[in-house]
C-alpha cells in the first residue's frame, strides 16, 4: 500500500491567497520573547550590592565637626568620606570627595563645597586635611 504520488507529482505549486511575508516578518515569528517583562531588571536590582551606613559615636562626630571648622578657618582642602544613600534599596555606597569648603548651611544641615556640590552633614563619615588623618573612619 505504498503510494508513489504519481497523481500529484507534476501539478503546479498552489498559490497562497495571502501576501508573501518578508524574511524579517517570518523570522520575528520565531524570535525569543520575554515572558516576564522586567524580570531581568528586577533580578539585577536585587543582586546589586549596597552598603549599610556606618554609625558614628558622639566623639567621632565632634572630631569631624572640629576638622570641618578648622578647614573653613584655614581654607584647607578636605578629603571627605561620605555615605550616599541608595534611592531604590535600603543602604547605599561609600565614596570619597576632595574639595575646599565654601560654607556650612546650618539650617539645611548641608556642607557646600567650592565645586558647588552639597553634602548632608549626617552623611559625612570621615574627613581628612593635610593636618589630620582618616583614623576616625569607623571601618
Amino acid at each position: 500500500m505504498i503510494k508513489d504520488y504519481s497523481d500529484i507529482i507534476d501539478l503546479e505549486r498552489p498559490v497562497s491567497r495571502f501576501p508573501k511575508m518578508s524574511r524579517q516578518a517570518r523570522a520575528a515569528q520565531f524570535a525569543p520573547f520575554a515572558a516576564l517583562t522586567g524580570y531581568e531588571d528586577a533580578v539585577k536590582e536585587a543582586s546589586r550590592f549596597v552598603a549599610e551606613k556606618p554609625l558614628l559615636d558622639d566623639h567621632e562626630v565632634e572630631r569631624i565637626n572640629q576638622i570641618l571648622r578648622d578647614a573653613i578657618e584655614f581654607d584647607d582642602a578636605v578629603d571627605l568620606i561620605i555615605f550616599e544613600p541608595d534611592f531604590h534599596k535600603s543602604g547605599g555606597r561609600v565614596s570619597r570627595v576632595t574639595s575646599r569648603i565654601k560654607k556650612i548651611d546650618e539650617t539645611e544641615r548641608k556642607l557646600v563645597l567650592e565645586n558647588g556640590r552639597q553634602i548632608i552633614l549626617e552623611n559625612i563619615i570621615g574627613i581628612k586635611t593635610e593636618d589630620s588623618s582618616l583614623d576616625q573612619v569607623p571601618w
Side-chain angles (χ1 to χ4, degrees):
M1 180 104 176
I2 299 175
K3 270 186 147 184
D4 62 0
Y5 299 104
S6 60
D7 56 333
I8 61 170
I9 197 80
D10 293 324
L11 292 178
E12 292 289 319
R13 182 171 183 202
V15 178
S16 174
R17 58 187 170 117
F18 300 104
K20 192 170 184 174
M21 291 178 84
S22 69
R23 284 185 184 253
Q24 280 185 314
R26 289 175 71 72
Q29 291 180 348
F30 303 102
F33 68 98
L36 301 173
T37 306
Y39 178 73
E40 293 274 331
D41 294 333
V43 169
K44 283 182 186 175
E45 178 63 25
S47 65
R48 188 171 55 86
F49 174 76
V50 290
E52 292 298 317
K53 182 177 180 179
L55 298 176
L56 304 178
D57 64 25
D58 292 338
H59 177 69
E60 292 168 330
V61 171
E62 185 52 42
R63 288 177 62 190
I64 289 172
N65 289 338
Q66 183 60 49
I67 294 171
L68 284 173
R69 285 191 293 271
D70 292 346
I72 290 173
E73 182 180 342
F74 299 112
D75 195 32
D76 288 339
V78 291
D79 195 14
L80 299 168
I81 305 296
I82 61 171
F83 179 78
E84 297 179 276
D86 192 293
F87 295 108
H88 302 290
K89 295 171 88 170
S90 174
R93 68 185 184 106
V94 175
S95 63
R96 177 176 254 147
V97 177
T98 303
S99 181
R100 293 193 185 286
I101 300 171
K102 186 174 183 181
K103 70 175 186 172
I104 296 178
D105 186 341
E106 297 281 341
T107 56
E108 297 274 330
R109 303 276 306 141
K110 290 183 180 179
L111 183 69
V112 181
L113 302 178
E114 195 174 64
N115 60 12
R117 184 166 181 184
Q118 296 183 5
I119 298 170
I120 298 171
L121 290 172
E122 287 77 25
N123 289 342
I124 298 172
I125 56 176
I127 185 169
K128 177 185 172 198
T129 62
E130 288 181 10
D131 300 330
S132 65
S133 66
L134 281 171
D135 63 341
Q136 64 268 21
V137 177
W139 62 88

